[in-house]
Amino acid sequence: MEIGIDSFAMLLTDPATGQLQSAIERMASVLAEVELADQVGLDVFGMGEHHRENALDSAPAVILAAAAARTTSIRLTSAVAVLSAADPVRLFQEFATLDLISRGRAEMVVGRGSSVEAYPLFGLDLRNYDALFAEKLDLLLKIREQPNITWTGRFRPAINGEGVFPRPHQPALPIWLGVGGTPESFVRAGTLGLPLMVAIIGGSFERFLPLVELYRRAWLAAGRPPKNQKIGIHALGFVGETDVAAREAFFPGWFQMFTEAGRERGWPPPTQAQFQHMCGPGGAFLVGSPQTVAAKILHVNGTLGGIARITFQMSTAALEAKAMRRSIELLGTHVAPLVRGQLDD
């Protein structure tokens, strides 16, 4: 099982001053985090995509390229690239270039995006939310197959044999399909034979099993070998020396981020009781001591019938710089060996 971290490069408000973090300092800390993740043996680092005042990740490939220059082994991916609002040609070129810079460590997770600010920004109609994605995914996969294609679509000018360059170092640039809770998205990933990355930011892991089974059935119905399936999980997580320390470090940033998200999306305000439940045995947060987190990862693996990758979204704890660094260290040096030891047994 691959274990890694995802970052949204969000700016949080300093509770002492009421001011947003410095963008320069936050970007420096993001790059230091991926460098540390590489040093402690984590497998993958993902960069999100947002287009808003308190986010620095509107151009994830640029950040990942900077990370590539500071790392040697860790795989570098989007998490998630909002394909519906992007030009697939340009997106492929950016990640093919990243693949060359990183000597074959680039990947993409593509999705429709749960944050939709990119659509009006680039002049796209939200009523075409799924149609845009289906068409652009088709084009992206065709470009991955060969540089010169003939293609016609509804939302983008046609391509008439022009070449898409550069080509990546890897024979086929890995492309995962990022999904939330829409059954059709799970079926699409299985039908197309794409690795599946499931974003689980609330509820329980158990409730996603029927959706994961949809993916598996669609995969088999398309005539693909079961052994080639890959299922990944993106979840909120943080590791501390103890369960209490981890929760105390993670809660303030989580509360701030989800309070703001609730205002935008009409969700009720988050509560301390809700947070504590989500950190407990029945919740979907991977927050606690190394032993607690490792046990929960193994539970997720068993519940969903085997997963290939799990990534932690822990950047809501960005104000706790020392705790953030220690969490990454513990994830690489304690949690990962505990999980792999159990899986090997």
Side-chain angles (χ1 to χ4, degrees):
M1 183 192 297
E2 294 176 323
I3 298 175
I5 60 175
D6 292 326
S7 176
F8 289 168
M10 305 297 283
L11 297 172
L12 299 179
T13 301
D14 188 329
T17 65
Q19 300 296 314
L20 283 178
Q21 294 170 301
S22 159
I24 288 178
E25 292 177 1
R26 179 67 184 119
M27 186 63 78
S29 69
V30 168
L31 293 174
E33 287 159 16
V34 64
E35 188 172 9
L36 176 60
D38 185 56
Q39 292 170 356
V40 298
L42 290 175
D43 300 294
V44 60
F45 176 85
M47 177 54 61
E49 179 185 342
H50 299 84
H51 301 266
R52 54 180 63 204
E53 184 179 6
N54 66 335
L56 303 177
D57 57 358
S58 63
V62 178
I63 301 174
L64 292 172
R70 301 173 61 156
T71 57
T72 58
S73 302
I74 198 166
R75 297 193 67 77
L76 303 166
T77 182
S78 57
V80 169
V82 184
L83 180 59
S84 304
D87 182 340
V89 172
R90 195 62 176 144
L91 186 67
F92 184 87
Q93 290 174 326
E94 290 170 351
F95 277 81
T97 303
L98 172 65
D99 201 51
L100 296 175
I101 294 171
S102 65
R103 298 178 178 268
R105 292 185 281 132
E107 300 187 6
M108 269 190 268
V109 178
V110 298
R112 297 178 298 180
S114 59
S115 298
V116 296
E117 67 270 5
Y119 289 79
L121 180 63
F122 295 109
L124 300 168
D125 192 334
L126 268 171
R127 290 174 295 183
N128 298 320
Y129 182 74
D130 189 66
L132 279 162
F133 181 73
E135 178 177 296
K136 292 185 176 186
L137 180 60
D138 174 69
L139 176 55
L140 181 65
L141 295 177
K142 284 183 168 60
I143 293 169
R144 181 174 68 163
E145 292 174 6
Q146 55 184 343
N148 300 91
I149 64 169
T150 300
W151 178 90
T152 301
R154 174 184 168 195
F155 300 106
R156 187 199 188 280
I159 298 177
N160 298 300
E162 298 88 351
V164 179
F165 299 103
R167 306 306 292 179
H169 173 71
Q170 297 173 87
L173 188 68
I175 297 175
W176 296 63
L177 192 64
V179 301
T182 306
E184 292 79 6
S185 297
F186 287 78
V187 172
R188 174 157 46 204
T191 301
L192 294 174
L194 296 175
L196 181 75
M197 179 58 68
V198 188
I200 302 178
I201 62 171
S204 67
F205 294 111
E206 283 80 1
R207 73 184 181 93
F208 283 85
L209 179 58
L211 295 170
V212 169
E213 289 300 328
L214 280 178
Y215 168 73
R216 292 191 171 110
R217 288 198 296 270
W219 183 285
L220 296 176
R224 305 181 191 283
K227 66 179 181 179
N228 292 342
Q229 293 176 0
K230 290 183 72 174
I231 298 166
I233 300 297
H234 160 95
L236 296 172
F238 196 80
V239 190
E241 302 290 347
T242 65
D243 290 350
V244 172
R247 294 181 186 191
E248 289 180 348
F250 193 67
F251 176 78
W254 171 84
F255 180 81
Q256 184 180 138
M257 180 175 289
F258 279 83
T259 298
E260 294 174 2
R263 291 194 192 104
E264 294 177 3
R265 304 183 189 189
W267 299 343
T271 66
Q272 177 80 43
Q274 178 188 10
F275 177 78
Q276 294 296 338
H277 171 74
M278 294 304 300
C279 293
F285 289 1
L286 301 164
V287 177
S289 69
Q291 294 76 17
T292 295
V293 172
K296 209 161 191 182
I297 291 174
L298 292 167
H299 169 72
V300 177
N301 185 66
T303 297
L304 299 182
I307 58 175
R309 174 179 292 181
I310 191 161
T311 57
F312 285 58
Q313 203 295 90
M314 58 175 66
S315 57
T316 57
L319 286 174
E320 294 282 351
K322 290 183 179 178
M324 184 79 175
R325 181 180 179 86
R326 184 57 177 156
S327 178
I328 295 170
E329 290 176 343
L330 289 170
L331 186 60
T333 61
H334 288 65
V335 175
L338 284 171
V339 171
R340 289 169 184 150
Q342 288 292 318
L343 292 175
D344 288 343
D345 291 342

